[in-house]
Each structure stands twice: as C-alpha cells, then as structure tokens.
C-alpha cells in the first residue's frame, strides 16, 4: 500500500464523506478517494473548496471533518486564503496539500506549506516518512476534533505519495472529548447573574459547536435575561423569542445596542470577545463574565471579572442547575424585559421602514432584504452573506429561528466566501433552501464557481446586489451577471423594479426545487447607510 492509498483509507476510517479541492493531487488523480467511497468535488478555484469544507465543519458542530486537497506550488499558494479564513472563524478541516519533492522542498523560491501555513492552522506537519502516515494523520484529525476547532494541515511531498508504507496500515480513528468548568466558579457566576439588575447574555459560536442551544434557552428563561449573539453565533438563540436582541456585527438591531448600554453584567458564553469591527463593542463600566473553551481568549481583548473555561453546553447546563437551586419559580421580570425589547425594536424598525419598503429605482437593497424575509421560510433555509454591505444589510433584519441556519462570520472578511459556504451547506442539506448574497466585489472574486453548483448538482440560490460599484469604496465595476449565471448552466434573472422582487424570488426558489441553481441579479441603488445604534 502506498502513502496515497493509505491516506485515502485513513480519511474513510475518520468518517470523511467529502474531499474537496483542485488537482493535481494524487488523492484526486488516481481515484484513491473515490475508490474508498469518498465523494470528490472539484471547484473552479481552491479557495471555494476550502470554504465548502469550512461550512460543513461548522454546520455539523464539528462532527463531520472534510478533507481538502490541492496541488503543490500554485495550488498551495492559492489555498492559503481559504485556510486562513477557516482559522479566523474557528472552522475545522484537514488539509492535505501536495508539496514539492523532498529534495527541493526547502529550495528558494519553492512554496513550503509546512513553513507558510503555521500561522493559519491549528497543527501543521510535513509527512516525510511513509511509515509515519498513520500517526501524522491521527494528530491532524485529533487537532481538528478537540478543543477549539481549526484547520489541521499535512503537507505531503510529491514523491512521498508513491512510496510504500513499510509496516502496512493499522489505523484507529480519533475521538473527541469535552471538558467542563470549575464547579466552584460556576456557583460564583450563578450568584453574579442572579444578583444582576440588568444582565445580558452574549452567545458565540461555541454554543453551536457544543450544541448548547436548549441549555442557552433554559438559562435565559430562568434568569429572564435578554440574549444577543455574535454573528458567528447567530441562530444559537431563536431571534423570534421575546428575549432575543439579535446579532452583533458591523450593523446591528437597535434593541441590542440599547440593552448593552443599559446592562450591568454581560455574560459571554462560547465567544472570544475578540475586538473586531464585525462584532459588538463592549461598553465600559460593565461587569464581564467570560466563558470560553479556549483559555487564551480570557482577558485577550476584554478584561473579565469572572471566567469559566470549558465546553459551552456543559457550562450552560451547570449554570442552569446552579441557578435553579437558588430560585423558586419565576422571577417576575420576564414581561417587563420582553416589553422593553419589543418597544425599542419597534422604534428601530420604524426608523428603517422607509428603506425596507422603498419604491425607488434603482431598487434599495434593504427592500430586497425585506422581501426575502417575507418570501422565504427561515425554518427551511440556510443563509449567508458576503463581506461588506450584503452582510451589513442582511444581519440585523434576518431573523434566524433554527440552530445553524445562518452562517455568520466576520473576522477576516474575504470577499467571495459566501458562495462556497452555500455550496457546502447544500451538499450537507440537499432538502434546505441554501442562499448566499453577494455584492459586486464578491461575485468578481468567486462568481465562476456558480458553475460548480451546476456541475455538482447543488441547486443553491445566489442573490447578487448589483449597483455596478463597490459602494463603500466608490469603485466602479461592470458586468451583467444574470447572463453569466445562465451561461454557466443555471437559471439567471435580472430584476430592476421593486414590485418584481418577490415574484422573482419565488421563480428562482421554484427552479432550485426543480434542481437548477439560480442567480438573481437585483439592480440596486448605491446604499451605504448601516444600522449602527452603538455609535449614535
């Protein structure tokens, strides 16, 4: 058995269902992955494939690890952006880039993944000894599955793929484990939360990975405390719930900013509290309780008075028990808190209603978002939006109701990320309506991978907000992308009138249900105003 065959068998043993990427890589070229029953998917560029792997890792709460493979040299150079995005967003995958032959691996100007991927991966190794293939791959999968999920990289020099594994392959798949918080600290934090006059819970992506949605809901209702999420954590708490404040991002709902300003205690669970333009700004003078799986997050950007380190679900369940031990029935403030949320929310929506219902042409993009929320059943959809205005238009107004129905992100914000995320979502959930929203910059970066949706039978809905400009940067662009979508084998339609938004959405959704990827191009105004109540 050569190394190539051994790696394919290891992927199968680890439960890998998909290998995505771009050739040339022996795992694709020889059919080794397909021979063991792994579906291989070739994208038009490496970065989109990495984004697909990223989506599946996140949408399965880390239960499914996707393999990513690419060519040595230019393939690894092109791929580093996708792996870096997954690293920034804490998404697991195992990347197996080919490398130059061992004799040339360190010779200038050869690109060496072992050296260059170390800062964007959780673990990074070069497999140089065929007899070490099992232990090397095991370390990679263990890194991806345990602790904070992030990419693991194993570079395989071209000549190593073809060498025999001297001792054969005897491989046992890896497992994952969870650790809980200090019980004494849990009791202390429970007291802090119960003593708070105006607590706010801020839930991050760690709640998704821990599958802690039910425990989060139970804690919020026991404390009768409002819940906000990060953009990565959006959908961890149902946004139609009376205690929901929505998600923090570069744009955010009015009620979220209001309650953060008025809070005395902010409890961050499953979040990093990383300072970013695409998350909440933690106000000064608040008591901060920080619960995270990764201890290096504690006091990294935001100073906390109390900390809990451990799996988010184990932490939330422990807090529920500790809180319930100290209270007897309802606390009596649920209705008051819910009414305050609703009042502030209505005032904020009234402010934005002229844009959400605008009859102007070119179409106001907020009108597209409003129509989308009315046409699409959020319970049956998975949605994401690209960097810049598409994300900022969507995030405050789309109410996610089901866990893992919104793929949020925003630390490194690569343009073109959303298309790969939608492809990965559709691969995983063929019964769902999977939507990505792109602007002019994003569709120029990865738009040709719409052809991958056609070729691989992944009928997604791509929405292009086309104002012929990167409006935030006053950079003019051109192109008629509905025609491109049709030319690539999908359904394409251009929409220029507000009254045609909903009918066009319904037509495109019907085509996806029939198995055809759809690209709707809305000709929109150069809207740049964002909902930033925290800056007012």
């Amino acid at each position: 058995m050569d190394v190539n065959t051994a790696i394919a068998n290891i992927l199968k043993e680890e439960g890998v269902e998909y290998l995505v990427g771009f050739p040339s890589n022996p795992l694709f070229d020889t059919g080794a992955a397909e021979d063991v029953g792994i579906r291989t998917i070739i994208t038009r560029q490496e970065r989109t494939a990495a984004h697909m792997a990223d989506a599946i890792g996140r949408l399965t709460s880390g239960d499914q690890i996707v393999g990513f493979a690419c060519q040595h040299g230019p393939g690894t150079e092109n791929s580093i952006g996708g792996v870096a995005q997954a690293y920034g967003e804490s998404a697991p995958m195992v990347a197996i880039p080919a490398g130059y032959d061992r004799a040339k691996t360190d010779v200038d100007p050869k690109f060496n993944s072992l050296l260059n991927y170390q800062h964007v991966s959780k673990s990074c190794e070069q497999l140089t000894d065929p007899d070490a293939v099992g232990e090397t791959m095991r370390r990679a999968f263990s890194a991806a599955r345990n602790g904070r999920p992030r990419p693991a990289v194993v570079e395989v020099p071209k000549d190593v793929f073809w060498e025999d594994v001297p001792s054969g392959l005897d491989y046992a798949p890896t497992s994952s484990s969870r650790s809980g918080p200090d019980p004494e600290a849990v009791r202390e934090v429970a007291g802090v939360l119960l003593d708070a006059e105006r607590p706010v819970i801020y839930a991050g992506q760690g709640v998704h990975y821990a599958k802690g949605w039910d425990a989060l809901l139970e804690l919020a209702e026991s404390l009768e405390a409002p819940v906000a999420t990060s953009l990565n954590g959006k959908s961890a708490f149902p946004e139609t719930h009376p205690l929901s404040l929505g998600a923090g991002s570069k744009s955010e709902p009015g009620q979220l900013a209001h309650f953060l300003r008025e809070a005395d205690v902010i409890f961050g669970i499953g979040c990093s509290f990383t300072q970013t333009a695409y998350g909440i700004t933690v106000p000064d003078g608040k008591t901060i309780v920080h619960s995270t799986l990764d201890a290096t997050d504690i006091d990294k950007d935001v100073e906390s008075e109390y900390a809990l380190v451990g799996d988010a679900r184990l932490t939330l369940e422990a807090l529920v028990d500790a809180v319930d031990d100290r209270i007897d029935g309802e606390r009596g403030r649920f209705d008051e808190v819910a009414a305050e949320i609703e009042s502030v929310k209505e005032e904020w929506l009234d402010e934005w209603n002229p844009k959400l219902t605008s009859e102007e042409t070119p179409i106001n993009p907020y009108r597209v978002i409003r129509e989308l929320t009315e046409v699409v059943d959020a319970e049956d959809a998975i949605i994401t939006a690209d960097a810049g205005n598409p994300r900022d238009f969507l995030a405050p107004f789309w109410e996610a109701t089901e866990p893992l129905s919104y793929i949020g992100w925003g630390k490194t914000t690569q343009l073109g990320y959303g298309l790969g995320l939608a492809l990965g979502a559709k691969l995983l959930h063929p019964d769902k309506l999977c939507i990505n929203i792109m602007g002019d910059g994003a569709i120029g970066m990865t738009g040709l991978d719409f052809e991958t949706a056609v070729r691989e039978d992944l009928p997604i809905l791509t929405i292009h907000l086309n104002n012929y400009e990167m409006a935030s940067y006053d950079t003019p662009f051109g192109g008629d992308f509905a025609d491109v979508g049709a030319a690539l084998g999908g359904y394409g339609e251009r929409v220029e009138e507000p009254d045609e938004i909903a009918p066009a959405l319904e037509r495109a959704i019907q085509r996806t249900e029939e198995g055809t990827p759809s690209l709707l191009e809305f000709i929109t105004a150069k809207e740049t105003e964002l909902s930033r109540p925290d800056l007012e």
Side-chain angles (χ1 to χ4, degrees):
M1 179 183 294
D2 61 22
V3 168
N4 182 50
T5 304
I7 292 174
N9 279 278
I10 288 169
L11 295 177
K12 186 66 174 179
E13 287 289 326
E14 288 286 358
V16 173
E17 297 184 24
Y18 310 106
L19 180 71
V20 297
F22 195 89
S24 172
N25 183 294
L27 289 166
F28 292 127
D29 306 340
T30 66
E34 290 185 340
D35 287 345
V36 297
I38 296 172
R39 180 176 174 181
T40 60
I41 295 176
I42 304 298
T43 54
R44 301 302 292 249
Q45 65 158 297
E46 293 86 353
R47 184 156 68 93
T48 299
H51 298 336
M52 291 180 68
D54 175 329
I56 293 173
R58 287 207 270 162
L59 290 176
T60 61
S61 299
D63 290 344
Q64 285 194 37
I65 306 297
V66 174
F68 168 82
C70 64
Q71 183 184 346
H72 67 286
T76 55
E77 293 162 13
N78 287 340
S79 303
I80 197 166
V83 175
Q85 181 78 56
Y87 182 82
E89 304 304 327
S90 296
M93 70 178 71
V94 171
I96 312 163
Y100 287 97
D101 289 349
R102 284 170 293 185
K104 297 294 184 181
T105 189
D106 293 320
V107 178
D108 184 72
K110 302 292 191 291
F111 185 91
N112 185 314
S113 295
L114 173 64
L115 298 178
N116 289 291
Y117 276 74
Q118 290 187 30
H119 294 293
V120 293
S121 61
K122 188 175 179 182
S123 71
C124 188
E125 296 189 53
Q126 188 181 68
L127 177 62
T128 56
D129 184 348
D131 209 25
V133 62
E135 64 182 83
T136 303
M137 295 300 296
R138 185 177 294 110
R139 285 191 291 269
F141 274 97
S142 182
R145 292 192 192 282
N146 288 282
R148 187 186 197 135
R150 275 176 163 167
V153 176
V154 177
E155 182 186 40
V156 184
K158 288 190 300 175
D159 54 334
V160 174
F161 273 111
W162 310 115
E163 294 198 4
D164 287 336
V165 180
S167 58
L169 182 66
D170 182 16
Y171 188 85
T174 56
S175 61
S176 59
S177 60
R178 298 183 299 148
S179 57
D182 182 340
E184 291 186 10
V186 167
R187 288 190 288 271
E188 183 180 30
V189 166
V192 172
L193 294 175
L194 286 168
D195 290 342
E197 293 293 327
R198 293 180 66 86
V200 169
I201 300 172
Y202 178 64
Q205 185 173 222
V207 176
H208 285 315
Y209 277 120
K211 302 179 184 177
W213 314 295
D214 291 342
L216 174 62
L217 179 62
E218 188 173 357
L219 180 65
E221 292 182 339
S222 294
L223 292 172
E224 299 174 2
V227 179
T229 72
S230 68
L231 200 56
N232 297 65
K234 189 175 170 75
S235 80
F237 191 81
E239 293 185 311
T240 52
H241 191 282
L243 293 176
S244 173
L245 299 176
S249 180
K250 191 174 180 180
S251 58
E252 60 192 23
Q255 65 271 18
L256 189 155
H258 170 83
F259 272 83
L260 284 180
R261 284 194 299 266
E262 299 296 323
D264 55 350
V265 174
I266 299 175
F267 170 45
I269 174 70
C271 68
S272 66
F273 274 135
T274 296
Q275 287 183 347
T276 169
Y278 314 105
I280 66 167
T281 300
V282 178
D284 295 332
K286 313 299 180 183
T287 297
I288 305 298
V289 181
H290 193 178
S291 176
T292 175
L293 181 64
D294 189 342
T296 63
D297 286 335
I298 302 295
D299 295 330
K300 174 174 68 74
D301 289 337
V302 175
E303 183 178 347
S304 56
E305 285 77 9
Y306 304 91
L308 299 172
V309 178
D311 174 85
R313 178 158 63 91
L314 294 179
T315 301
L316 287 164
E317 289 173 345
L319 282 170
V320 166
D321 290 341
V323 166
D324 287 350
D325 285 344
R326 294 181 52 174
I327 61 175
D328 184 17
E330 296 180 358
R331 307 188 72 201
R333 62 185 183 190
F334 184 102
D335 291 343
E336 180 182 348
V337 172
E340 185 178 353
I341 293 172
E342 183 63 23
S343 174
V344 178
K345 180 180 179 180
E346 287 182 358
E347 182 179 348
W348 167 71
L349 286 174
D350 285 345
E351 177 187 345
W352 283 89
N353 194 55
K355 292 183 183 292
L356 293 166
T357 60
S358 172
E359 294 286 343
E360 69 184 13
T361 55
I363 300 168
N364 190 296
Y366 283 106
R367 173 69 182 268
V368 178
I369 299 304
R370 181 227 176 190
E371 299 282 349
L372 186 67
T373 64
E374 294 188 351
V375 169
V376 173
D377 186 347
E379 293 185 1
D380 297 324
I382 298 174
I383 193 168
T384 190
D386 249 290
N389 287 343
R391 172 200 57 220
D392 303 331
F393 296 152
L394 179 70
F397 299 102
W398 178 273
E399 292 189 332
T401 59
E402 300 297 313
L404 299 170
S405 62
Y406 186 101
I407 311 177
W409 54 286
K411 292 190 176 70
T412 59
T413 63
Q414 289 178 8
L415 287 171
Y417 187 27
L419 180 59
L421 293 180
L423 291 170
K426 192 65 178 181
L427 185 62
L428 186 67
H429 293 293
D431 58 322
K432 296 278 189 179
L433 173 62
C434 297
I435 307 168
N436 70 292
I437 305 177
M438 311 182 85
D440 294 290
I443 202 165
M445 294 275 188
T446 63
L448 287 181
D449 257 309
F450 186 76
E451 185 272 338
T452 300
V454 176
R455 174 169 34 88
E456 292 291 343
D457 191 24
L458 299 172
I460 61 172
L461 171 58
T462 292
I463 293 173
H464 176 210
L465 302 178
N466 188 356
N467 58 18
Y468 296 103
E469 184 175 309
M470 279 187 68
S472 296
Y473 300 97
D474 294 324
T475 302
F477 283 133
D480 295 318
F481 288 91
D483 297 340
V484 173
L488 293 174
Y491 173 73
E493 181 177 348
R494 184 176 299 109
V495 183
E496 301 184 43
E497 297 295 330
D499 291 344
E500 280 301 308
I501 297 172
L505 286 167
E506 290 167 354
R507 287 190 292 270
I509 292 169
Q510 178 64 35
R511 295 300 296 267
T512 66
E513 291 171 349
E514 295 169 356
T516 302
S518 297
L519 194 161
L520 288 181
E521 180 182 36
F522 293 98
I523 307 304
T524 65
K526 295 176 176 63
E527 176 68 70
T528 58
E529 187 175 354
L530 304 180
S531 176
R532 290 301 306 267
D534 63 320
L535 298 182
E536 294 174 359

